[in-house]
Amino acid sequence: MNTSWRTASLTAMAAAILALTAACGQDHTATPAARNVGATAAVGDYGNPGTGSGAANGYGTDGSQSSASPAPAGKLTVAANPDLGSVLTDGSGHTLYRFDKDTANPPRSNCSGDCAATWPPVPAGDATAGPGVDRAMLGEVTRADGTEQLTIGGWPAYRYAKDAGPGDVNGQGVGGTWFALAPDGKKASLSALPGLSVRKDPELGDIIVDRHGRTVYRFLKDKAWPEPVSNCTGACLEKWPAVAAVEPGDTEGVKKKGLMGFTRPDGVKQMTVNCWPIYTFSGDKAPGDTNGQGVGGTWYAVAPDGKPVGAPVK
């Protein structure tokens, strides 16, 4: 009788272990929601939204935001766009753009009238540098109407009327002259790297980088078993942005075990390596930087097998 009970107990335990293994090992990678990247306006067209509801407003949603009273810039931050890389956004998360017909040295805006209605200039007055933004990149230029416009790396900054909400990049490529701003004032651009790949760092050895060459990190306070759990939320997530989910086939040199995406409680889809959530660091200013290594004794670069490089052995 006792033997039968022990056999049944062991069988149940084995089944539970298999179930937990499957929960972490199954492919949770979700195909990212469709993004409207780039616009279809003809070359030379400003992409004017027309005269209906929301026309000539700052965000293309209602008539409350006009080019005559543009929304303040607020705290500028860096958004990780899966197609364009690091994109500069205003305090409300709206994408900022630059115009090829402007100049940066000296700063000069050549967008006025109907152009400025479709591409509202961003006021310089209250702009501050948030995580990942170098304050030295921020400046201002006096427009023909006497208002002060924000500049990034010398380039005048604008919003786009057809961007309905935070994260939209509908202005990318309009007329072949409008482009999302990178944090240094350059044009945000695509990367030729896979979603995740391996780079040999001279000090850390083989470490994982994202599609923009940025070092990927692990947080020792996270969990991988039986399901990925991120304990980086709120202000932490602003400093350590979650790496967006990528298809396992869009990786190179990374071990496939536990390579999957999962949906965080806040709705963000995050990638994992060996079931561990992964992040980038806002303090890394350029590809190849490893400024996040060892921060707080809890953040470490990630090896191809998902282990934290240089973390204390427990």
Side-chain angles (χ1 to χ4, degrees), residues 8 10 37 49 54 63 74 80 83 118 146-147 151 174 184 201 238-239 255 265 267 273 282 287 298 308:
L10 290 173
V37 178
D83 296 296
T118 302
T147 59
T151 62
V174 166
D184 59 0
D201 184 87
E238 291 183 12
K239 193 171 184 179
K255 295 292 180 66
V273 177
S282 63
T298 55

Side-chain angles (χ1 to χ4, degrees), residues 199-207 288 290:
R199 179 181 70 84
K200 185 172 288 294
D201 184 87
E203 296 182 3
L204 303 178
D206 288 345
I207 58 174
T290 55

Side-chain angles (χ1 to χ4, degrees), residues 231-294:
N231 285 308
C232 178
T233 60
C236 173
L237 203 58
E238 291 183 12
K239 193 171 184 179
W240 301 89
V243 175
V246 302
E247 295 294 336
D250 188 23
T251 65
E252 185 176 307
V254 182
K255 295 292 180 66
K256 300 297 183 183
K257 179 183 177 183
L259 189 61
M260 65 181 192
F262 75 104
T263 302
R264 299 167 51 88
D266 54 15
V268 174
K269 291 181 173 60
Q270 184 173 3
M271 193 62 184
T272 73
V273 177
N274 196 20
C275 297
W276 290 95
I278 55 174
Y279 311 79
T280 53
F281 180 44
S282 63
D284 284 345
K285 304 302 182 182
D289 284 355
T290 55
N291 299 317
Q293 177 67 6

Side-chain angles (χ1 to χ4, degrees), residues 36-42 47 119 160 162 169-175:
N36 193 353
V37 178
T40 56
W119 301 89
Y160 183 42
K162 288 187 177 181
V169 286
N170 298 313
Q172 177 69 10
V174 166

Side-chain angles (χ1 to χ4, degrees), residues 155-185:
W155 288 95
Y158 306 83
R159 301 182 179 98
Y160 183 42
K162 288 187 177 181
D163 280 351
D168 286 354
V169 286
N170 298 313
Q172 177 69 10
V174 166
T177 56
W178 290 93
F179 299 92
L181 272 163
D184 59 0

Side-chain angles (χ1 to χ4, degrees), residues 4 57 84 89 99 111 123 198 218-219 232-233 239 243 257 286 288:
S4 299
N57 65 29
L84 301 177
T89 63
F99 186 32
C111 177
V198 177
R218 253 186 61 179
F219 186 33
C232 178
T233 60
K239 193 171 184 179
V243 175
K257 179 183 177 183

